[in-house]
């Protein structure tokens, strides 16, 4: 298996939408991703591709807003979860953020999503606030923050 990380393009959106529907209670629609990749000037969306089969294994989205980045999506197809693939996407995305001059990155995560919180903490994200009733079902979210550093070695 040859893994490749590259930008999401239109032809990827049907497959990404299927992954989204597999993973999320309130999945983004194709039009949401179309907006992000075509109209949102701050957005960057990457896919993790098995280059041998051309299968999208996961995707990662973030916004770059001046010196700050915000992660919007970290998604791995269910059958590939547990293989540390999200770490590959996170490390690649953070390198791109640093190259763009970002000094910090934030994200929101469901307080019940322990696997994701553990991943982010391994990458040195800290919980800095709780957003009350952030999700449609009333669940709270943690706001997590990481100060980006050119000498960071969390991708190990």
């Amino acid at each position: 298996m040859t893994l490749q990380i590259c930008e999401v393009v239109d032809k990827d959106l049907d497959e990404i939408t299927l992954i989204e529907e597999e993973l999320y209670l309130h999945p983004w629609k194709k039009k949401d991703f179309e907006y992000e990749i075509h109209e949102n000037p701050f957005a960057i969306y990457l896919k993790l591709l098995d280059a041998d089969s051309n299968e999208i294994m996961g995707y990662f989205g973030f916004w770059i807003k001046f010196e700050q980045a915000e992660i919007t999506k970290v998604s791995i197809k269910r059958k590939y979860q547990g293989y540390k693939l999200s770490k590959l996407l996170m490390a690649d995305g953070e390198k791109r953020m640093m190259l763009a001059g970002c000094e910090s990155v934030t994200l929101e995560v469901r307080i019940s999503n322990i696997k994701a919180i553990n991943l982010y903490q391994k990458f040195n994200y800290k919980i800095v606030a709780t957003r009350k009733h952030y999700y449609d079902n009333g669940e709270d979210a943690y706001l997590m923050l990481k100060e980006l550093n050119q000498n960071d070695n969390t991708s190990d």
Side-chain angles (χ1 to χ4, degrees), residues 6 8 12 15-24 27-28 33 45-49 56-61 72-77 85-86 89-90:
C6 46
V8 169
D12 302 323
E15 191 173 353
I16 285 174
T17 302
L18 288 174
I19 298 169
E20 186 80 2
E21 290 169 357
E22 172 191 34
L23 297 177
Y24 297 102
W28 284 15
F33 287 102
Y45 280 78
L46 306 170
K47 63 187 172 200
L48 177 62
L49 188 67
I56 296 174
M57 303 167 76
Y59 48 95
F60 180 80
T72 58
K73 288 284 179 183
V74 182
S75 304
I76 299 294
K77 192 182 277 191
L85 298 176
S86 54
L89 285 169
M90 294 276 298

Side-chain angles (χ1 to χ4, degrees), residues 13-71:
L13 295 182
D14 288 334
E15 191 173 353
I16 285 174
T17 302
L18 288 174
I19 298 169
E20 186 80 2
E21 290 169 357
E22 172 191 34
L23 297 177
Y24 297 102
L25 189 59
H26 298 285
W28 284 15
K29 305 290 185 225
K30 185 176 180 178
K31 67 178 173 60
D32 300 318
F33 287 102
E34 287 171 336
Y35 172 80
E36 289 294 291
I37 68 173
H38 291 297
E39 297 180 46
N40 184 344
F42 305 109
I44 298 171
Y45 280 78
L46 306 170
K47 63 187 172 200
L48 177 62
L49 188 67
D50 175 351
D52 299 329
S53 68
N54 257 357
E55 179 182 11
I56 296 174
M57 303 167 76
Y59 48 95
F60 180 80
F62 59 98
W63 299 339
I64 293 179
K65 298 182 281 185
F66 306 101
E67 69 282 345
Q68 184 168 358
E70 181 178 345
I71 295 174

Side-chain angles (χ1 to χ4, degrees), residues 4-156:
Q4 182 180 11
I5 296 174
C6 46
E7 288 199 27
V8 169
V9 295
D10 281 327
K11 70 179 180 67
D12 302 323
L13 295 182
D14 288 334
E15 191 173 353
I16 285 174
T17 302
L18 288 174
I19 298 169
E20 186 80 2
E21 290 169 357
E22 172 191 34
L23 297 177
Y24 297 102
L25 189 59
H26 298 285
W28 284 15
K29 305 290 185 225
K30 185 176 180 178
K31 67 178 173 60
D32 300 318
F33 287 102
E34 287 171 336
Y35 172 80
E36 289 294 291
I37 68 173
H38 291 297
E39 297 180 46
N40 184 344
F42 305 109
I44 298 171
Y45 280 78
L46 306 170
K47 63 187 172 200
L48 177 62
L49 188 67
D50 175 351
D52 299 329
S53 68
N54 257 357
E55 179 182 11
I56 296 174
M57 303 167 76
Y59 48 95
F60 180 80
F62 59 98
W63 299 339
I64 293 179
K65 298 182 281 185
F66 306 101
E67 69 282 345
Q68 184 168 358
E70 181 178 345
I71 295 174
T72 58
K73 288 284 179 183
V74 182
S75 304
I76 299 294
K77 192 182 277 191
R78 193 164 277 129
K79 72 179 185 178
Y80 294 115
Q81 291 180 3
Y83 294 100
K84 303 185 187 288
L85 298 176
S86 54
K87 290 177 85 171
L88 294 174
L89 285 169
M90 294 276 298
D92 184 271
E94 286 186 2
K95 284 179 189 166
R96 292 171 193 251
M97 293 171 198
M98 286 189 283
L99 287 171
C102 293
E103 298 169 5
S104 64
V105 58
T106 61
L107 59 86
E108 284 98 4
V109 60
R110 288 180 184 276
I111 63 170
S112 65
N113 193 344
I114 303 303
K115 285 170 67 174
I117 293 166
N118 288 337
L119 169 71
Y120 303 141
Q121 288 176 331
K122 285 179 185 170
F123 272 80
N124 297 323
Y125 286 77
K126 307 289 185 229
I127 296 170
V128 295
T130 301
R131 299 205 191 276
K132 296 290 184 187
H133 312 293
Y134 184 78
Y135 293 99
D136 290 347
N137 68 351
E139 185 175 356
D140 295 345
Y142 288 133
L143 173 64
M144 299 185 79
L145 169 73
K146 177 179 180 175
E147 298 296 331
L148 293 175
N149 178 334
Q150 295 294 337
N151 299 319
D152 194 355
N153 293 320
T154 55
S155 59
D156 298 342

